Amino acid sequence: MAGLGPDSEIARIEARLDAEMAAFRTDTRLAQGSLAAFAKARIVPRAVTVNFSGGFAHRCYSVTRSDGTYRVIYMPRADYFALCVESVFGPLDIGVHGGAIECHSSV
């Protein structure tokens, strides 16, 4: 089926990130800094296995590079973004969910 491959999913995530960045309100210095920091950390989405409470693991997409402690991922099953902490087992969902910029700005 057309449009269901990894490239189209990456394109869809990129479009969603572009739209979120364009709509993000930057009427304060803090908001401007949040957007700039997110833009600097943003990467082309790449598949990664994310660990969840209860021993579950799902294929998700990293959308920011790791700062050594955290990264933002897109969760296709839930259709939203999440903040993950880095662990020896890979990224671990810590329950901070929502928009990509807001997740990134929460730390």
Side-chain angles (χ1 to χ4, degrees):
M1 294 176 92
L4 295 179
D7 290 341
S8 65
E9 189 162 31
I10 289 170
R12 187 175 62 79
I13 297 166
E14 288 274 31
R16 185 169 175 166
L17 290 168
D18 290 343
E20 185 176 323
M21 290 177 74
F24 192 75
R25 292 186 57 180
T26 57
D27 50 356
T28 67
R29 199 173 291 213
L30 180 61
Q32 291 169 4
S34 294
L35 182 60
F38 178 78
K40 184 176 179 181
R42 184 177 166 179
I43 60 171
V44 173
R46 62 180 171 83
V48 62
T49 300
V50 174
N51 299 292
F52 295 86
S53 297
F56 297 101
H58 296 290
R59 190 191 95 223
C60 298
Y61 290 87
S62 290
V63 299
T64 65
R65 67 183 53 79
S66 173
D67 68 0
T69 305
Y70 299 101
R71 75 170 105 171
V72 177
I73 59 101
Y74 173 71
M75 299 177 6
R77 287 180 176 215
D79 192 32
Y80 52 68
F81 296 93
L83 185 67
C84 288
V85 66
E86 301 296 343
S87 77
V88 295
F89 305 107
L92 175 65
D93 176 70
I94 57 173
V96 177
H97 303 139
I101 300 168
E102 288 85 358
C103 286
H104 187 264
S105 300
S106 68
V107 292

